[in-house]
C-alpha cells in the first residue's frame, strides 16, 4: 500500500536527490547571490537559501515516504546500485526500508526547522554563508548515513558530519566553545579509527562490503572470533557517537557550548547515527559477536540510565548553579541508554522499542533544546538558580505560553503515557524481560529493574525542573511569634521586604537577581516576550508529532516491525 503511486525510477531519483541536494546547496551558499535574489542584504539572502534548500529536501522526503510501499517495509526500496571502486567491490548503493525511512524524514524535518529558526534568530558568530553551508553539509552527511548500504560509504557518511559540527560549536557556540569542540572531535575521531578497522575486517573476511548481502548471510561467512573482534571495534566507535556511558563525557560540554540549532541537530539526529549502526550493521552481520557482548552492552546501558538521571538530579537541586542545557544533555545519556538496552536484548520487541525511542528522543529533546535556547535568549542565562526566581518571576508568571510548552516537553521526556516518550521505554523494558535465546534472563531482568528505576529518577528531575523554572521557588512562610502574631520580615539593605512578594525572593543561590530584574525593585515583575510566530512555526510540528506518535504508535511500529523481524532472521521473512 502506498499513499501515492510513484514509479521505481522516480523513487530512486528522490532518494539520490535527498542525499545530494544539501551538498549542492552548501556549494551554492558560498557563491555570491544572483542580483534578483539578494533581498535586503546578502546575509538575508543566504539564510533564505538555507530555508529553501532544507525545505525542498523535506518535501522530497515526505513524497518519498508517501511513495513507500507500506505493505513491504522490510524490502529495500528506491535502491540505486552503481559500481564505484571495482577493485574493492565498493558500490554506490542506496536504499531505504522501514528502519531507515523514519530517521531520514526526522533528519530532514529537524534540519528544516533549524534553518527556519536561524533565519529569524541567527546565532552570533562569523559569516552566515559559512553557517548555512555547514548546516547543509551536516544534513547531507546525516541523510547519507541512513540511506547508504555499503560499509565504506557508511563510514564516509558517518565521518562527514564531524567537521561541520566541530565548526558550528567552535565558531558559533557560547562559553568554553573551543574546548568543547576539541573534545567532541577528538572523542569521535578516535572512536571512528577503531570502527574503520572493524568495518574493513568484515569486508575483507566476507569478500563484500554490501550491507544487504552481509545481512542476508547473517554472519555465516564469518567465524565467531572475527565477529567478536568486529563487534568490539565497530561497537566502540558507535558507542562514542551514541553516546554510551562511560564514553559520554564529550556530550554535556558540546551541548552546553553549542548554539541552539547545533544542540537540536546533535541530539535530534547525530546521536541516532550510532544506534542506527548497531541495528543496521552489528545485529544482522555479526549476530554471534553481538550475543557475546550483549550482556555487557546492556549493563553499560543500565548504568547510563541511572547515571544520567542522577547527574540531572544533582544539577537540578537548589544552589548547584546547574546549567539547564547541560541538564538536558545528561538526560540524553539516560534516554540513549534505553535505546542501547533495547538493542542488547536482540529481540524484535526490544529493537522496535529502541527504534521508537530513537525517534521519540529526536522529537522531544529537539523541542527541549529549542525551548531552553529561547529561555536563555530571554533571561541571558541558562543557570537554573537564576531561572528559578520567585513565584511571579518564573516562566508561568512572565511568559506563560513558553512555560506551558516547556512543561509539556518535560512530561513528554519523562515518558508520560499518551506521548511519544512512553512507548519506546516500555517496549525496551518488555524486551529486557524476555531477551533472545542464549542471553541470561536473570541478568536482563536485573537490567530491566534498573531501567525502570531510572524512569522514576527521570520523572523526579524533570518535575523539579518544571517546578523551579516554570513556577519559581516557593515563597517563605511568615514566621509566628510565641503569641501567634506574624513577625516582621527580616530587614535588608533596601529596608524591610514584605514576606511572600516576588520582589523579596532571590533568584539565585546567592540571592542575586536575574538579569531581567536587576537594579531597583519595582512593584511589578517585568514580562518576558512570549512565543514569537517564528518560534511557534519551528516548534509546532515537534509538538504535533510527539502527540501523534504517543496516541498512534502503530504508524511507526508498522514500519519498523517487519523490517526488524527480517533483519534478526538473517534476511528471511
Amino acid at each position: 500500500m502506498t499513499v501515492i503511486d510513484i514509479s521505481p525510477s522516480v523513487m530512486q531519483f528522490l532518494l539520490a536527490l535527498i542525499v545530494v541536494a544539501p551538498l549542492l546547496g552548501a556549494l551554492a551558499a558560498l557563491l555570491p547571490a544572483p542580483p534578483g535574489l539578494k533581498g535586503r542584504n546578502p546575509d538575508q539572502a543566504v539564510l533564505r537559501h538555507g530555508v529553501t534548500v532544507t525545505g525542498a529536501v523535506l518535501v522530497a522526503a515526505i513524497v518519498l515516504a508517501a511513495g513507500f510501499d507500506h505493505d513491504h517495509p522490510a524490502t529495500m526500496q528506491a535502491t540505486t546500485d552503481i559500481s564505484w571502486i571495482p577493485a574493492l567491490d565498493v558500490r554506490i548503493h542506496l536504499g531505504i526500508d522501514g528502519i531507515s525511512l523514519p530517521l531520514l524524514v526526522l533528519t530532514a524535518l529537524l534540519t528544516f526547522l533549524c534553518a527556519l529558526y536561524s533565519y529569524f534568530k541567527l546565532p552570533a558568530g562569523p559569516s552566515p554563508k559559512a553557517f548555512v553551508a555547514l548546516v547543509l553539509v551536516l544534513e547531507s552527511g546525516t541523510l547519507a548515513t541512513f540511506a547508504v548500504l555499503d560499509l565504506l560509504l557508511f563510514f564516509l557518511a558517518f565521518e562527514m558530519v564531524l567537521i561541520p559540527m566541530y565548526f558550528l560549536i567552535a565558531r558559533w557556540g557560547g562559553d568554553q566553545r573551543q574546548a568543547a569542540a576539541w573534545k567532541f572531535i577528538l572523542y569521535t575521531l578516535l572512536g571512528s579509527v577503531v570502527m574503520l578497522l572493524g568495518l574493513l575486517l568484515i569486508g575483507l573476511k566476507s569478500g563484500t562490503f554490501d550491507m544487504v548481502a552481509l545481512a542476508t548471510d547473517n554472519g555465516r561467512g564469518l567465524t565467531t572470533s572475527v565477529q567478536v573482534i568486529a563487534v568490539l571495534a565497530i561497537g566502540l566507535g558507535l558507542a562514542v557517537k551514541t553516546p554510551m556511558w562511560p564514553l559520554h563525557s564529550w556530550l554535556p560540554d558540546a551541548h552546553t557550548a553549542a548554539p541552539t540549532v547545533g544542540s537540536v541537530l546533535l541530539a535530534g539526529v547525530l546521536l541516532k547515527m550510532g544506534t542506527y549502526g548497531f541495528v543496521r550493521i552489528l545485529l544482522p552481520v555479526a549476530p554471534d559477536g553481538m550475543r557475546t557482548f550483549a550482556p555487557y552492552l546492556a549493563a553499560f546501558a543500565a548504568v547510563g540510565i541511572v547515571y544520567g538521571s542522577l547527574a540531572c538530579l544533582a544539577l537540578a537541586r537548589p544552589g548547584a548553579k546547574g546549567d539547564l542545557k547541560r541538564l538536558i544533555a545528561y538526560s540524553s545519556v539516560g534516554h540513549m541508554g534505553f535505546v542501547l538496552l533495547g538493542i542488547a536484548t536482540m529481540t524484535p520487541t526490544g529493537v522496535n522499542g529502541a527504534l521508537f525511542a530513537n525517534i521519540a528522543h529526536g522529537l522531544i529533546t529537539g523541542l527541549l533544546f529549542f525551548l531552553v535556547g529561547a529561555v536563555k535568549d530571554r533571561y541571558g542565562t541558562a543557570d537554573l538558580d537564576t531561572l528559578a526566581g520567585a513565584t511571579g518571576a518564573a516562566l508561568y508568571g512572565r511568559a506563560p505560553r513558553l512555560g506551558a510548552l516547556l512543561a509539556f516537553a518535560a512530561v513528554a521526556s519523562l515518558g508520560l503515557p499518551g506521548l511519544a516518550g512512553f512507548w519506546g521505554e516500555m517496549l525496551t523494558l518488555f524486551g529486557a524481560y524476555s531477551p533472545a535465546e542464549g542471553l541470561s534472563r536473570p541478568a536482563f531482568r536485573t537490567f530491566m529493574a534498573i531501567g525502570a528505576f531510572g524512569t522514576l529518577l527521570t520523572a523526579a528531575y524533570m518535575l523539579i525542573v518544571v517546578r523551579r523554572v516554570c513556577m519559581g521557588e516557593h515563597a517563605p512562610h511568615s514566621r509566628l511569634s510565641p503569641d501567634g502574631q506574624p513577625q516582621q520580615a527580616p530587614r535588608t539593605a533596601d529596608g524591610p521586604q514584605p514576606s511572600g512578594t516576588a520582589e523579596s525572593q532571590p533568584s539565585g543561590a546567592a540571592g542575586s537577581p536575574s538579569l531581567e530584574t536587576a537594579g531597583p525593585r519595582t512593584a511589578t515583575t517585568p514580562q518576558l516576550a512570549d512565543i514569537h510566530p517564528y518560534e511557534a512555526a519551528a516548534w509546532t510540528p515537534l509538538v504535533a508529532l510527539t502527540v501523534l506518535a504517543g496516541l498512534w504508535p502503530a504508524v511507526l511500529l508498522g514500519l519498523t516491525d517487519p523490517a526488524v523481524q527480517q533483519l534478526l532472521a538473517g534476511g528471511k521473512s
Side-chain angles (χ1 to χ4, degrees), residues 243 248 250-256 263 266-267 271 308 311-312 315 323-336 361 365 368-369 372 461-462:
H248 69 283
W250 61 269
L251 183 71
D253 292 338
H255 270 310
T256 304
S263 293
L266 181 58
L271 302 189
C312 290
L315 289 170
D323 187 283
L324 186 53
K325 285 189 73 175
R326 195 174 188 85
L327 185 146
I328 303 302
Y330 271 112
S331 77
S332 292
V333 176
H335 289 305
M336 298 312 289
H361 179 265
T365 307
L368 275 170
F369 275 116
V372 173
Y461 72 74
M462 277 300 179

Side-chain angles (χ1 to χ4, degrees), residues 234-487:
I234 298 171
L236 281 174
L238 297 174
V240 171
K241 185 67 72 72
T242 299
M244 180 187 75
W245 180 90
L247 304 174
H248 69 283
S249 60
W250 61 269
L251 183 71
D253 292 338
H255 270 310
T256 304
T260 295
V261 295
S263 293
V264 171
L265 292 175
L266 181 58
V269 294
L270 263 67
L271 302 189
K272 312 302 174 284
M273 295 165 63
T275 52
Y276 175 77
F278 275 104
V279 174
R280 177 63 72 197
I281 299 174
L282 293 185
L283 277 178
V285 175
D288 293 337
M290 271 298 292
R291 196 169 285 106
T292 300
F293 283 105
Y296 304 101
L297 179 63
F300 284 125
V303 172
I305 292 170
V306 176
Y307 171 84
S309 299
L310 291 176
C312 290
L313 280 170
L315 289 170
R317 75 178 190 273
K321 304 298 289 182
D323 187 283
L324 186 53
K325 285 189 73 175
R326 195 174 188 85
L327 185 146
I328 303 302
Y330 271 112
S331 77
S332 292
V333 176
H335 289 305
M336 298 312 289
F338 278 103
V339 178
L340 290 173
L341 178 59
I343 293 170
T345 67
M346 299 184 69
T347 62
T349 301
V351 176
N352 275 303
L355 293 173
F356 200 105
N358 248 350
I359 300 298
H361 179 265
L363 296 172
I364 297 168
T365 307
L367 177 61
L368 275 170
F369 275 116
F370 268 134
L371 294 169
V372 173
V375 170
K376 188 174 181 178
D377 289 339
R378 286 156 171 78
Y379 279 89
T381 181
D383 176 70
L384 271 167
D385 288 332
T386 303
L387 297 178
T391 304
L395 275 182
Y396 283 164
R398 306 184 67 181
R401 294 183 183 87
L402 182 60
L405 201 53
L406 180 61
F408 167 83
V411 297
S413 182
L414 63 83
L416 185 73
L419 299 176
F422 171 74
W423 296 106
E425 294 181 2
M426 185 193 71
L427 290 172
T428 294
L429 295 177
F430 279 171
Y433 183 81
S434 183
E437 186 178 352
L439 299 179
S440 170
R441 183 165 293 189
F444 272 82
R445 289 185 177 178
T446 301
F447 302 144
M448 179 198 74
I450 295 172
F453 177 65
T455 62
L456 300 178
L457 295 177
T458 302
Y461 72 74
M462 277 300 179
L463 293 177
I464 289 173
V465 167
V466 170
R467 191 202 70 197
R468 299 192 69 207
V469 177
C470 296
M471 303 177 187
E473 301 289 14
H474 291 296
H477 297 291
S478 298
R479 292 179 298 174
L480 298 180
S481 63
D483 60 358
Q485 297 300 317
Q487 291 183 328

Side-chain angles (χ1 to χ4, degrees), residues 186-196 233-234 236-238 240:
L186 289 175
Y187 263 78
T188 49
L189 277 179
L190 288 174
S192 298
V193 170
V194 180
M195 184 176 74
L196 176 60
I234 298 171
L236 281 174
L238 297 174
V240 171

